[in-house]
């Protein structure tokens, strides 16, 4: 049982990190391909003058200008990662909608799964206890000691 | 009372409470800047031209020309209310340090030149030149969050400090004096 839990946790973690890394270093240059890349990247960057909005979702002028900076840099052949680093170099890690999975930030990625695993284990053990076969009621009627009494013979 | 169980539950809850308590001590509105210590992003920008403007040596200004001087960059806009509060302090301190190796520049952010000129007139003038930043490219280069923000650039071309919100005479004087006292070294 433990092994299955560990395996499941490992798989989930792998999926989480794999998903975060999936934005590959493709180099889009123009047209629709470029626009798709601009959209994808602007969804990962925070709008500096908004509350919790990404550049993609923000209609402010600064966001528009930042999006055109993204478009320009991607068209020049920079990778999405390089463009991200340009903004991180100016605004800091704060500009990323998702914190990078490093150091203290790792807590954000790991804690939910740990919580899920602990909760799952709790439910598992509780359900097992609740569904444990009850002692035969006929045997109790026949004068056999109740299970609680049986466990504490000195009482 | 089962003490082992109590301890177990506490061991589970306390770290979480500690983590959340740590979170409460952090200010979500704090605006971090990674620029201090780094070379200031270069720019070449046009000077805002209007009748009565302070004399600028050239119609365009490059930051690189001011290596060896303390540069104070103040981002402002005519629609920015807090910029009115700091205007007098900026103009006065700039005047006090004129010709002493300290250069002030305003940078007009997300605004039209015409609105900028009208604002300067309404405020009774500005003692230093303001530069135009079309498409906010320089603002983005400086990691600007909003206006007003003031950057202090050391003689070696590094950003020494960023002040968010209206700046005061005291803050300006303190940083300028600190930077003027610094031994000059070349930026890498």
């Amino acid at each position: 049982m433990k092994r299955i839990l560990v395996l499941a946790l490992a798989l989930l973690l792998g999926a989480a990190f794999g998903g975060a890394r999936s934005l590959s270093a493709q180099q889009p240059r123009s047209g629709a391909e470029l626009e798709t890349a601009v959209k994808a990247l602007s969804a990962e960057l925070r709008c500096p003058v908004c509350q919790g909005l990404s550049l993609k979702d923000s209609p402010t002028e600064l966001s528009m200008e930042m999006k055109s900076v993204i478009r320009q840099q991607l068209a020049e052949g920079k990778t999405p990662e390089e463009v991200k680093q340009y903004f991180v170099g100016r605004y800091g890690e704060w500009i990323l909608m998702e914190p990078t999975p490093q150091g203290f930030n790792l807590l954000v990625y790991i804690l939910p799964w740990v919580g899920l695993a602990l909760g799952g284990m709790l439910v598992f053990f509780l359900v097992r206890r609740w569904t444990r076969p009850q002692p035969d009621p006929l045997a109790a009627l026949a004068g056999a000691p109740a299970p609680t009494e049986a466990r504490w013979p000195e009482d | 009372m089962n003490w082992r169980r109590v301890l177990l539950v506490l061991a589970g809850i306390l770290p979480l409470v500690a983590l959340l308590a740590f979170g409460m001590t952090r200010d979500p509105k704090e605006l971090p800047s990674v620029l201090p210590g780094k070379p200031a992003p270069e720019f070449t920008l046009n000077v805002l031209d209007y009748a009565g403007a302070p004399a600028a040596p050239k119609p365009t200004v490059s930051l690189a020309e001011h290596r060896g001087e303390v540069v104070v960059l103040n981002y402002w806009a005519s629609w920015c209310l807090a910029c009115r509060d700091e205007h007098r302090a900026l103009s006065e301190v700039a005047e006090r340090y004129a010709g002493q190796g300290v250069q002030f520049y305003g940078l007009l952010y997300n605004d039209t030149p015409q609105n900028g000129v009208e604002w300067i007139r309404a405020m009774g003038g500005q003692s230093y030149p303001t530069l135009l930043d079309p498409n906010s490219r320089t603002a983005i280069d400086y990691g600007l969050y909003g206006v007003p923000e003031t950057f202090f650039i050391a003689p070696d071309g590094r950003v020494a400090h960023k002040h968010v919100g209206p700046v005061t005479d005291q803050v300006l004087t303190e940083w300028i004096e600190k930077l003027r006292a610094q031994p000059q070294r070349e930026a890498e």
Side-chain angles (χ1 to χ4, degrees):
Chain A
M1 185 60 213
K2 236 182 210 165
R3 227 191 250 169
I4 296 175
L5 274 178
V6 170
L7 193 70
L9 188 65
L11 277 177
L12 283 172
L13 278 176
F17 284 92
R21 293 266 157 86
S22 67
L23 197 85
S24 63
Q26 290 258 327
Q27 297 197 9
R29 307 265 173 207
S30 58
E33 200 190 3
L34 176 63
E35 285 315 306
T36 317
V38 170
K39 248 184 208 164
L41 196 51
S42 58
E44 291 183 44
L45 295 170
R46 198 179 293 278
C47 154
V49 293
C50 317
Q51 299 281 338
L53 275 187
S54 72
L55 287 182
K56 183 178 161 232
D57 297 329
S58 155
T60 63
E61 279 184 55
L62 184 60
S63 296
M64 298 293 173
E65 293 303 340
M66 287 171 83
K67 271 186 270 188
S68 65
V69 169
I70 295 176
R71 187 172 298 114
Q72 187 188 335
Q73 294 197 357
L74 285 177
E76 283 167 4
K78 281 197 183 176
T79 63
E81 196 48 46
E82 284 170 338
V83 179
K84 244 197 239 181
Q85 283 316 309
Y86 165 84
F87 285 105
V88 170
R90 274 138 188 89
Y91 287 92
E93 282 265 305
W94 178 92
I95 199 81
L96 300 174
M97 289 298 280
E98 277 184 27
T100 49
Q102 279 175 7
F104 185 70
N105 292 350
L106 273 176
L107 275 185
V108 181
Y109 288 82
I110 293 173
L111 271 188
W113 300 113
V114 171
L116 199 66
L118 286 178
M121 263 152 64
L122 188 72
V123 169
F124 173 78
F125 286 118
L126 283 179
V127 166
R128 205 170 62 165
R129 182 189 286 181
W130 292 331
T131 56
R132 197 175 287 162
Q134 297 295 311
D136 190 352
L138 286 180
L141 277 180
T148 48
E149 285 166 3
R151 255 195 267 160
W152 307 103
E154 69 268 25
D155 284 355
Chain B
M1 190 70 123
N2 188 337
W3 286 108
R4 247 188 74 198
R5 184 169 291 184
V6 171
L7 280 180
L8 210 68
V9 170
L10 278 182
I13 290 175
L14 280 183
L16 197 64
V17 171
L19 188 69
L20 294 178
F22 170 68
M24 295 293 283
T25 65
R26 314 231 309 171
D27 181 3
K29 293 213 174 83
E30 190 187 65
L31 303 174
S33 179
V34 286
L35 275 186
K38 287 194 195 169
E42 290 295 337
F43 58 77
T44 301
L45 296 172
N46 291 329
V47 177
L48 175 66
D49 190 30
Y50 55 98
K58 279 187 280 180
T60 59
V61 165
S62 291
L63 181 63
E65 294 161 8
H66 293 290
R67 202 54 42 86
E69 290 179 293
V70 176
V71 179
V72 180
L73 296 180
N74 172 255
Y75 283 89
W76 67 276
S78 69
W79 45 262
C80 153
L81 285 178
C83 297
R84 292 163 191 268
D85 298 339
E86 62 172 9
H87 177 76
R88 180 196 269 273
L90 279 163
S91 265
E92 282 179 1
V93 177
E95 217 156 40
R96 204 186 308 149
Y97 282 102
Q100 297 183 49
V102 180
Q103 181 62 54
F104 276 64
Y105 284 116
L107 276 114
L108 192 59
Y109 167 72
N110 202 1
D111 208 346
T112 65
Q114 195 190 339
N115 284 343
V117 171
E118 276 167 22
W119 187 85
I120 291 175
R121 290 236 171 83
M123 296 300 290
Q126 198 172 38
S127 72
Y128 50 91
T130 272
L131 310 176
L132 298 172
D133 178 20
N135 301 328
S136 305
R137 289 307 151 91
T138 307
I140 296 172
D141 254 354
Y142 275 80
L144 197 80
Y145 288 96
V147 276
E149 274 183 24
T150 306
F151 292 83
F152 295 83
I153 298 169
D156 66 2
R158 287 171 192 279
V159 176
H161 179 63
K162 165 179 153 172
H163 182 91
V164 179
V167 75
T168 59
D169 189 315
Q170 193 192 354
V171 171
L172 287 167
T173 312
E174 256 172 38
W175 274 99
I176 289 171
E177 285 305 324
K178 202 190 266 184
L179 293 178
R180 276 177 14 127
Q182 241 174 38
Q184 295 193 15
R185 36 175 193 152
E186 266 304 299
E188 285 139 36

